Amino acid sequence: KKYELLKSSSLEFELPKSFHELRKKPIPANFRGPVDHALLGKYGVFVNPSVSEVLCTTTFEALAMGKFVIIPVHESNKFFLKFPNCLGYRNKWEFAASLRWALTHEPEPLTQELAKSFTWEAATDRLIKSSAITRREATQRAMLGTARLDERIAFFHREL
């Protein structure tokens, strides 16, 4: 019932350019604000339009819970696009198509392999892999003096 308006109405509307314009002519959507997802009841679609979120924990949680996730195709979201329930979009038409797909289909169950991506062990492995440097890089850092700077930064970090 709550999606009737979306399915029957046009997705053609101009985004407001100011709060004044938004009050005069609101966009056809309801935003609940910050709410614990456990209080929302059964839902199957999570939309995160952010391209500046560094950790993307809400996107990660929604995928781990077996929900559809709709996110922009962007470097910060690259990790998530490998999941079958993650629907990426580049423009408003792809967003609308992804939303319609998510509202009319059931999310795929996570395979064992994909479910393992959500464990602390897998996160630790990704962290170690991303922070490792090659011998060549270590040599370059030593020649440029950045290794010494890293040691100083690490010292100050430990002392805090």
Side-chain angles (χ1 to χ4, degrees), residues 85-123:
N85 294 335
C86 183
L87 308 173
Y89 66 91
R90 290 176 191 81
N91 55 50
K92 65 182 180 180
W93 305 112
E94 287 181 6
F95 173 81
S98 293
L99 184 58
R100 183 166 302 280
W101 173 267
L103 293 174
T104 58
H105 292 79
E106 289 296 317
E108 288 184 33
L110 283 175
T111 64
Q112 283 261 7
E113 184 181 328
L114 288 177
K116 194 174 182 176
S117 300
F118 297 109
T119 65
W120 280 109
E121 181 183 0

Side-chain angles (χ1 to χ4, degrees), residues 28-138:
N30 293 321
F31 295 96
R32 296 174 168 240
V35 177
D36 185 333
H37 62 81
L39 300 175
L40 292 175
K42 185 168 171 40
Y43 70 95
V45 182
F46 177 75
V47 177
N48 186 358
S50 177
V51 293
S52 61
E53 210 177 322
V54 177
L55 298 176
C56 303
T57 52
T58 53
T59 300
F60 200 77
E61 287 175 354
L63 283 169
M65 293 169 61
K67 311 294 183 188
F68 276 117
V69 169
I70 302 173
I71 57 175
V73 175
H74 184 267
E75 190 64 30
S76 65
N77 293 326
K78 195 166 132 180
F79 170 79
F80 301 111
L81 295 172
K82 69 180 177 183
F83 295 95
N85 294 335
C86 183
L87 308 173
Y89 66 91
R90 290 176 191 81
N91 55 50
K92 65 182 180 180
W93 305 112
E94 287 181 6
F95 173 81
S98 293
L99 184 58
R100 183 166 302 280
W101 173 267
L103 293 174
T104 58
H105 292 79
E106 289 296 317
E108 288 184 33
L110 283 175
T111 64
Q112 283 261 7
E113 184 181 328
L114 288 177
K116 194 174 182 176
S117 300
F118 297 109
T119 65
W120 280 109
E121 181 183 0
T124 303
D125 289 344
R126 288 190 300 273
L127 175 65
I128 290 169
K129 185 179 177 184
S130 69
S131 62
I133 61 171
T134 65
R135 286 190 174 129
R136 180 179 177 196
E137 289 170 327

Side-chain angles (χ1 to χ4, degrees), residues 20-36:
H20 174 72
E21 199 174 301
L22 177 64
R23 283 191 297 271
K24 279 179 51 182
K25 188 177 177 189
I27 61 173
N30 293 321
F31 295 96
R32 296 174 168 240
V35 177
D36 185 333

